[in-house]
C-alpha cells in the first residue's frame, strides 16, 4: 500500500499534526448533531482524550493542555472519535450538559451571515448560562 | 464595545484569518447534520462563497482557489454560513448530491477510532461512488 493509500484507506490511526504539532478537532453534539466548537489537540491531548473519554484540547492562546470544563465545569464526554481521509482532522462526538461556549451559548456557532449580505450577522440562539457566574465559581 | 466584545457579541462579520491568510471552514450537510469535510478559505474564497452561494475553498496543497466540485462535479450549495465566537472558524450548511470525499465516500469522516484502542480504526461507511470514474470524466 502506498503511503497516501495507507493514510486514506488504512485502519491505523496516524494523525497528521501540523507544523505547530496540532490537529484540528471538531466537537459535535452526539445527540443533536450540532457542531459545538472547533479546537486543537497536540499528541498528548489526543492520547488523554482517547484514554480517559473526556475531551482534552491544547489551548493555542494559553499554550497548554486544556481539559475542557476545568474552569467552567462544562465537560465533554467523548462517545466517538472520527478521522478524515488525510487524517489531519478529527470529529469528537460528545455528550454535554449545556453551555459549551465561553460567551454563554450552547454552541460557539450562535451567529449566521445574514442572507443577501457578506458582512452582517444575525443571532441564531440565546444564551443558556451566565459565563460570569460559571467562571467565577471555579476560580 | 471592547475589541474582543465586538468580535464575540457584535453583528458584523470580521473573519480572523490566520498567518497564512486562511480560516477553517466546516462543511456540514444541511439535511443530515453530518460533517462532510473540513477545509480552508482565504478572503477571496469566502467572498465568492457568500456572493455565489456555491462553496469555494482555498487548496493548501495546490495553493489556489478550489471551486468545490470543479473536477468531481460534486458541488456544495451553501444554505447558511455560521461563524464562531472568536470568528476564526466557519460552518457551511450545504446541500449536496453525493460523494463529497475524493476517496469515494459521502463524507471525509468514514472511519472512527475503535473503542478501547488509541490507534485502531474501523470503517463507519461504504463508498458511494468510484473516484476513478468521477475524476476521469472531468479531466
Amino acid at each position: 500500500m502506498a503511503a497516501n493509500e495507507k493514510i486514506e484507506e488504512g485502519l491505523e490511526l496516524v494523525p497528521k499534526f501540523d507544523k505547530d504539532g496540532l490537529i484540528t478537532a471538531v466537537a459535535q453534539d452526539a445527540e443533536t448533531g450540532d457542531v459545538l466548537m472547533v479546537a486543537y489537540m497536540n499528541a498528548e491531548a489526543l492520547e488523554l482524550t482517547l484514554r480517559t473519554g473526556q475531551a482534552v484540547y491544547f489551548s493555542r492562546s494559553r499554550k497548554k493542555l486544556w481539559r475542557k470544563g476545568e474552569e467552567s465545569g462544562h465537560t465533554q464526554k467523548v462517545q466517538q472519535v472520527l478521522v478524515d481521509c488525510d487524517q489531519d482532522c478529527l470529529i469528537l462526538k460528545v455528550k454535554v450538559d449545556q453551555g459549551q461556549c465561553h460567551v454563554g451559548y450552547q454552541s460557539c456557532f450562535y451567529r449566521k451571515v445574514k442572507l443577501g449580505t457578506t458582512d452582517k450577522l444575525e443571532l441564531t440562539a440565546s444564551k443558556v448560562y451566565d459565563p460570569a457566574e460559571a467562571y467565577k465559581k471555579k476560580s
Side-chain angles (χ1 to χ4, degrees), chain A:
Chain A
M1 221 185 249
N4 220 30
E5 199 186 336
K6 197 175 166 188
I7 291 167
E8 291 178 352
E9 306 271 8
L11 295 177
E12 189 190 345
L13 179 65
V14 279
K16 188 177 166 189
F17 296 98
D18 68 13
K19 57 186 183 298
D20 296 318
L22 302 177
I23 189 166
T24 305
V26 178
Q28 186 176 25
D29 189 308
E31 280 173 30
T32 65
D34 287 344
V35 173
L36 300 170
M37 52 177 275
V38 174
Y40 299 85
M41 288 180 167
N42 64 1
E44 189 183 359
L46 175 56
E47 177 85 13
L48 282 167
T49 298
L50 290 172
R51 288 202 183 281
T52 66
Q54 294 286 336
V56 180
Y57 300 99
F58 184 85
S59 167
R60 293 180 301 170
S61 55
R62 288 177 284 154
K63 298 191 196 314
K64 63 170 194 169
L65 282 184
W66 164 32
R67 292 166 200 272
K68 176 75 180 115
E70 63 191 352
E71 287 186 56
S72 65
H74 300 141
T75 55
Q76 295 176 345
K77 191 170 177 189
V78 180
Q79 302 199 318
Q80 198 177 80
V81 177
L82 295 152
V83 65
D84 75 344
C85 44
D86 51 4
Q87 300 209 27
D88 68 354
C89 187
L90 304 168
I91 293 175
L92 276 61
K93 300 255 188 169
V94 297
K95 197 168 172 201
V96 297
D97 51 356
Q98 66 163 33
Q100 291 298 304
C101 175
H102 76 286
V103 180
Y105 296 91
Q106 179 68 18
S107 157
C108 293
F109 296 89
Y110 49 83
R111 292 171 296 184
K112 65 175 178 183
V113 179
K114 200 171 174 178
L115 266 183
T117 78
T118 58
D119 58 356
K120 298 277 175 291
L121 299 175
E122 53 190 10
L123 285 169
T124 60
S126 300
K127 294 190 184 185
V128 295
Y129 76 100
D130 178 357
E133 284 301 312
Y135 287 89
K136 192 175 63 184
K137 74 181 178 207
K138 296 280 165 183
S139 63

